[in-house]
Amino acid sequence: MQPISTRIRSLIPTNCGIRAKRRQAATPRRANLAVVSTFARKLKRSQLDNIVMSAMDAIVTIDEQHGIILFNTAAERMFGYAATEVLGSPLSKLLPQRFHAAHGQQIADFSDSGSVARRMGNLGAVPACRADGTEFSVEVAISHYSDGARVHYTAIIRDVTERTLIVAELRASEERERLHAQEMKNILFAMPAAVCIAHDQTLQEITENELYKKWFRANTPALPLATNGHPSHIALREAAAGREVRNYQFSDLKPDGTVRHLVGNAITVWDEIGRPRGAICAFIDITSLKISESKLVSVSAGSAAKSDYITHMTHELRTPLGTMLGYAQLLESNRPALRPEQLLAIRQILKAGWHLRELINEVQQLSTIDARATAMKHERVDLALLLDDMRAMIAPLLLAKGISAQFISPGNIVINGSLQYCKQVMLNLLSNAIKYNRDGGAIFVSCEPDQAQMVRIVVRDTGDGLDPVQLASLFQPFNRLGQETGVEVGTGVGLIVTKRLVEAMGGSVGVESQRGLGTSFWLRLPMADANQV
């Protein structure tokens, strides 16, 4: 049976002209549709061409024979070829020579894999080659399609040279950081100093080396540092609150019942806007030194026993001290790799070590002054020349603090003594006058003949001065008159050394001072006879 539509059409007379009119109307309509379709295809192709040519990434299309049939503007910039130079050339032209042989097989494998496309980055960075022969790294997304008769392959290529270099540098930097961190950890934990780093103000996050744990945490391992009353922890809390503690000395009871004497610093770690964000403390054991101080007082001056003991003691102290300073200097040499708080800790360890070494040297010098005085050879010392040398030696120190110095000419005065001792005495007094002066202050040095063929030398400063209690303790060894926590370093031995050197030359030394008006140290030294050679 015929379809209903067919049967209906058969009932209409053919001469009525309806079909003819319909055909006449349909003809121009189909023609218009064809024109629109053609225009749409051209517009789409034009838009696609514009997109391809204006793309930021290089786009390269090859045919089945791997010849280049499309090379966009970005590809020209990337590879350094004009499109006319590469069209028809094999794609291997864009690769380093060593990859030419394997390239064709790689494309064939991709075609046989059944994948229509492979996303960018799946192959990682691969090498490409510019027109001038330089190689660079790229990532490639590749796809293939067939129009029924031919197969085409299109590659979207992105230059990742800079990113590859950055990634490689980041990986190398991370590896260097890891090695430096491990190296610092090894050295820091092997160093003969107790070190603790607080990474926050509340002391909740801390890093302690093994020596710190052994000395200060053995009896209270679970007690938080924020509430621990141990002197070392108190110093750390003070520094974390922004109050630095310097040259801090205290005694600690060991588990065996003996006492350990320690000295160190607790330094604040500040954030980028000047607020305290943590602290670092480092302490060294000075028990041997304290014992030596006690024995030094009890042993008679100038005795062979004292000299032997001090020689042995200083040697024993220098050995571990040298090790500590060596490790600390090794750490400091890696300055670029250190965090600010690590560098601060190392510098505080070095500062404490150098301070201890200076103290050891001065103890040894103090113990040998009497023996040296016995063998001292007296000589003529021109006072004017001596003061000229001193003025030149202290010039950099004066400049650093903005202090002026006035030396009143002594005239033709010659001292009977030791040139070496005279230089050391004057340098000690002048250094103290600078160290404890005020910024922008002044120093006055005067000389005049005194009674009984003596010369009086006065060194006066404009510092804060001393009260009667401090004056009474001035020439006691290792007494710094409350300056232990100040910013000026010292051992408290310089003045007692000065006193003994002056007395060894047959002279005397004294001091006059008043709070707020400065201090004057005076020396009385014998003048040389006119006939003395």
Side-chain angles (χ1 to χ4, degrees), residues 159 182 283 324 372 419 518:
D159 188 343
Q182 185 61 44
F283 298 98
M324 184 189 78
R372 289 160 54 200
L419 179 59

Side-chain angles (χ1 to χ4, degrees), residues 35-45:
V35 170
V36 170
S37 177
T38 302
F39 175 76
R41 286 197 299 272
K42 289 182 178 180
L43 178 62
K44 185 175 182 181
R45 188 179 302 112

Side-chain angles (χ1 to χ4, degrees), residues 286-417:
I286 57 170
T287 305
S288 298
L289 185 61
K290 284 292 184 181
I291 294 174
S292 71
E293 291 177 13
S294 176
K295 291 188 177 183
L296 183 61
V297 174
S298 63
V299 176
S300 59
S303 67
K306 181 189 75 173
S307 298
D308 291 345
Y309 170 76
I310 291 179
T311 299
H312 177 73
M313 179 272 295
T314 53
H315 174 74
E316 292 298 321
L317 285 174
R318 280 194 180 95
T319 300
L321 180 60
T323 302
M324 184 189 78
L325 290 174
Y327 275 122
Q329 287 174 316
L330 181 60
L331 278 171
E332 192 183 35
S333 66
N334 287 327
R335 189 179 297 110
L338 298 174
R339 295 191 300 274
E341 60 269 23
Q342 294 172 332
L343 187 60
L344 270 175
I346 294 166
R347 285 176 173 170
Q348 291 309 313
I349 293 169
L350 281 170
K351 181 178 179 180
W354 295 126
H355 175 79
L356 181 56
R357 193 181 75 163
E358 181 183 358
L359 189 59
I360 292 170
N361 291 337
E362 293 194 0
V363 166
Q364 188 173 31
Q365 182 184 48
L366 187 62
S367 70
T368 58
I369 285 177
D370 294 336
R372 289 160 54 200
T374 304
M376 183 189 75
K377 179 181 179 182
H378 287 262
E379 58 188 329
R380 293 170 62 87
V381 179
D382 189 314
L383 188 55
L385 293 178
L386 173 66
L387 295 184
D388 284 342
D389 287 345
M390 293 299 102
R391 184 188 290 108
M393 290 180 68
I394 66 171
L397 301 177
L398 294 171
L399 183 62
K401 293 193 68 173
I403 295 174
S404 63
Q406 181 178 349
F407 288 72
I408 299 175
S409 176
N412 188 22
I413 297 178
V414 180
I415 297 172
N416 178 28

Side-chain angles (χ1 to χ4, degrees), residues 1 76 94 202 244 347 396 405-406 459:
M1 181 180 294
E76 291 180 322
L94 308 179
T202 60
E244 296 186 348
R347 285 176 173 170
Q406 181 178 349
V459 177

Side-chain angles (χ1 to χ4, degrees), residues 3 284 442 473:
I284 58 174
S473 306

